[in-house]
Amino acid sequence: MSHPKDLVDPDQHFFEARRKVFPKAVNGTFRRLKWAIMAVALVIYYVTPWLRWDRGPYAPDQAVLIDLAHRRFYMFAIEIWPHEFYYVAGLLIMAGIGLFLVTSAVGRAWCGYACPQTVWTDLFVHVERLIDGDRNAQIRLEKAPWGPAKIAKRLSKHAAWLIIGALTGGAWIFYFADAPTLFGELVHGAAPYVAYATIGVLTLTTYIFGGLMREQVCIYMCPWPRIQSAMLDEKSLTVTYKAWRGEPRTHGLKRDAAALPENTGMPSLVALANDPALASRVGDCIDCNACVAVCPTGIDIREGPQIGCITCGLCIDACDGIMAKVGRPPRLIGYTTDLDGRLAASGREPLTPIKRLLRPRTLIYFAVWAGIGMGMLFALGNRTRIGISVLQTRNPQWVRLSDGAIRNSYTVKIRNMEARPRTVEIGFSGVPGVIWDETSSREKGGRTVTLAVPADQVARVQLFVAAPASGEERTPVRFGVRALDAEGGSAADDSFFERPE
């Protein structure tokens, strides 16, 4: 019996080594769209921490700030407190459902245009072109022996990538502290160590993912290409090579002799352009590989749907340029749906954009997405700006006073969500008796206690309640807080009053 090792061909390889991709520069509609989106995304990322927003003298004036020290999240006029983290969760859920909606409608548009990996990789590729030249120059430089010129270019390119990575990490930490203050501390070496560590980590990851790994992140590391198949259907727009129009292919500037009538030889494209009957015998694709040369992941879109396609549309621009040169209609490669492709191949009209977009899948995604958004807006607009949290002291549960009355103590936290100090009144209901705080006494107590709460802070106070000894062993009580200013506002929290058995 043969050993399993004997069945393995030593020359057979199950894993293909990486073939470095050298994307060629291209001009066209989708390239300009990518330029615009990249510019907007980078400006938003780098500029946002420096925007100011006046919230008054008691709150930070940075427009977008994740204040971990004080457990706040500021976004322009909105302030999110720790107990309101459900707003952040809601935004994340909306982002996920929005991604489902976009994918079901126009494929991996997020991957092709707005994903941070795509944006930074595109930026790194353009820097590489500025230093090394376009595709052919990069290939020649890659094969060239090491020398002063190659070393200088390599050092320049990688230094530029590291600078971009450092700027990326530097911009990120500005979201977590006052940007001008932190920038001054960084320059003078007085910033916290965690700031320098964060910049170092993000510099390294940006350099590796955007400069070295590039398309490998999209193909092997990112889970979204594998998830998106559940989002797509036959009416989803994807970048598609229209084989019904492009096949059979020609080769270079000559037509395939096997596809042409006898005695025509290998006529030039000019001859085919002047002879429609002859041109109708072959497809529009001249097998120039322009679509492959510009692809940032190095795939051949003519091989059909594949995980490496991020639907960036650069192959459309490249192919349109070739079609214009050979006198053929544009969009041999274009955004289309699987259903439209089948209809076009059979000579029928494709679906209208309205029918393509308004289908159950997209309508359900949009309804869920809009419903969550409307619910969050409603909750945000109607949320109370004051809150109360009551925790009963358990050790001891109760104390018997000299006159026989029973005293319970409570730790009460009053949350003032306004950017100004407020005076509030705390009261209770459920048992007869009096309430007082740690600075007063039972003799001065009453049914309410007045407290000053600093702006945008949580005030903590120890309160005592004395009530008659007669009554249930455990009586529900409710504590309420009411703002005494013109804007008003109130909140309540429930607890218990304990008595001996």
Side-chain angles (χ1 to χ4, degrees):
M1 184 176 180
S2 61
H3 194 274
K5 291 183 178 180
D6 298 332
L7 303 178
V8 178
D9 185 353
D11 295 327
Q12 185 176 9
H13 300 282
F14 293 99
F15 299 96
E16 181 183 19
R18 182 194 181 191
R19 292 178 292 179
K20 193 171 182 179
V21 178
F22 301 92
K24 181 179 175 61
V26 63
N27 294 316
T29 302
F30 295 98
R31 176 64 268 179
R32 289 190 292 271
L33 178 61
K34 283 178 67 67
W35 274 119
I37 294 176
M38 181 176 71
V40 170
L42 292 176
V43 166
I44 291 175
Y45 177 75
Y46 287 112
V47 173
T48 297
W50 300 92
L51 299 178
R52 301 292 100 182
W53 189 270
D54 185 11
R55 299 186 181 90
Y58 302 100
D61 64 349
Q62 186 162 311
V64 178
L65 176 64
I66 304 172
D67 189 354
L68 296 179
H70 299 92
R71 296 184 294 177
R72 302 283 191 281
F73 173 47
Y74 299 94
M75 180 177 288
F76 298 96
I78 299 175
E79 178 185 359
I80 303 299
W81 285 60
H83 71 285
E84 296 178 318
F85 188 79
Y86 52 82
Y87 286 115
V88 178
L91 287 175
L92 294 176
I93 293 172
M94 286 186 67
I97 296 175
L99 193 56
F100 296 165
L101 174 60
V102 170
T103 302
S104 65
V106 291
R108 292 174 64 183
W110 164 260
C111 299
Y113 300 98
C115 173
Q117 172 66 20
T118 296
V119 171
W120 264 269
T121 297
D122 208 14
L123 179 61
F124 277 45
V125 167
H126 288 303
V127 170
E128 185 175 46
R129 287 200 190 106
L130 289 175
I131 298 173
D132 292 348
D134 203 1
R135 172 182 167 84
N136 293 336
Q138 291 178 28
I139 294 175
R140 288 195 300 269
L141 184 64
E142 182 75 14
K143 296 179 179 178
W146 286 95
K150 184 172 182 177
I151 292 174
K153 288 187 175 183
R154 285 290 186 263
L155 290 176
S156 299
K157 179 177 70 175
H158 289 277
W161 286 354
L162 287 171
I163 290 173
I164 295 173
L167 292 175
T168 302
W172 178 250
I173 65 171
F174 291 148
Y175 284 89
F176 295 84
D178 183 66
T181 303
L182 181 56
F183 179 76
E185 293 176 345
L186 288 171
V187 172
H188 294 93
Y193 290 118
V194 67
Y196 295 104
T198 302
I199 293 176
V201 170
L202 291 179
T203 298
L204 186 62
T205 53
T206 305
Y207 169 76
I208 292 174
F209 292 159
L212 303 182
M213 297 187 67
R214 294 187 182 177
E215 78 286 348
Q216 291 183 300
V217 175
C218 300
I219 297 175
Y220 300 111
M221 294 178 62
C222 181
W224 182 239
R226 293 152 182 83
I227 298 173
Q228 68 161 344
S229 58
M231 307 295 113
L232 298 173
D233 57 27
E234 62 177 3
K235 296 181 182 178
S236 300
L237 280 173
T238 57
V239 174
T240 304
Y241 166 65
K242 300 172 184 177
W244 63 90
R245 202 189 108 185
E247 301 295 331
R249 305 176 193 174
T250 60
H251 185 69
L253 297 179
K254 303 290 184 179
R255 294 286 179 166
D256 186 351
L260 299 174
E262 294 181 1
N263 302 322
T264 57
M266 299 282 285
S268 67
L269 293 171
V270 175
L272 286 164
N274 295 327
D275 190 348
L278 189 61
S280 64
R281 294 289 302 275
V282 293
D284 287 344
C285 180
I286 64 171
D287 206 18
C288 63
N289 283 329
C291 54
V292 180
V294 302
C295 180
T297 60
I299 68 164
D300 188 343
I301 190 64
R302 296 170 298 178
E303 295 177 357
Q306 49 203 292
I307 200 171
C309 179
I310 61 173
T311 66
C312 61
L314 296 183
C315 55
I316 303 176
D317 289 337
C319 188
D320 282 354
I322 298 298
M323 290 296 101
K325 291 179 181 179
V326 301
R328 304 302 296 165
R331 294 297 190 268
L332 174 59
I333 300 174
Y335 273 96
T336 189
T337 69
D338 180 66
L339 177 59
D340 286 346
R342 297 200 306 270
L343 292 174
S346 61
R348 289 180 288 174
E349 289 294 323
L351 296 180
T352 63
I354 296 298
K355 290 184 178 180
R356 189 185 301 128
L357 287 174
L358 301 182
R359 60 188 196 275
R361 180 190 293 265
T362 56
L363 292 175
I364 291 173
Y365 285 148
F366 179 77
V368 174
W369 178 84
I372 295 174
M374 295 294 290
M376 288 177 57
L377 287 175
F378 178 81
L380 194 64
N382 291 275
R383 65 176 178 169
T384 178
R385 304 297 294 172
I386 194 169
I388 183 173
S389 175
V390 180
L391 180 64
Q392 186 181 19
T393 302
R394 309 299 295 174
N395 188 21
Q397 287 186 340
W398 52 270
V399 174
R400 187 182 297 275
L401 302 179
S402 58
D403 61 353
I406 303 299
R407 188 198 75 188
N408 281 199
S409 61
Y410 304 86
T411 300
V412 179
K413 295 180 179 180
I414 305 299
R415 186 170 52 248
N416 176 18
M417 298 173 62
E418 294 284 355
R420 53 186 172 80
R422 306 182 80 182
T423 301
V424 301
E425 184 180 77
I426 306 171
F428 73 102
S429 62
V431 294
V434 296
I435 184 172
W436 69 96
D437 63 22
E438 51 198 344
T439 65
S440 185
S441 63
R442 179 187 177 189
E443 289 71 22
K444 297 180 180 180
R447 294 297 296 178
T448 62
V449 170
T450 302
L451 178 69
V453 185
D456 203 41
Q457 291 187 28
V458 175
R460 182 177 180 275
V461 62
Q462 192 77 18
L463 297 181
F464 305 94
V465 174
S470 59
E472 297 181 6
E473 180 183 349
R474 195 179 201 201
T475 305
V477 293
R478 167 165 288 193
F479 288 83
V481 60
R482 180 174 64 91
L484 299 180
D485 52 19
E487 287 76 7
S490 61
D493 193 21
D494 294 324
S495 187
F496 294 94
F497 186 86
E498 305 281 356
R499 294 184 177 90
E501 296 181 3

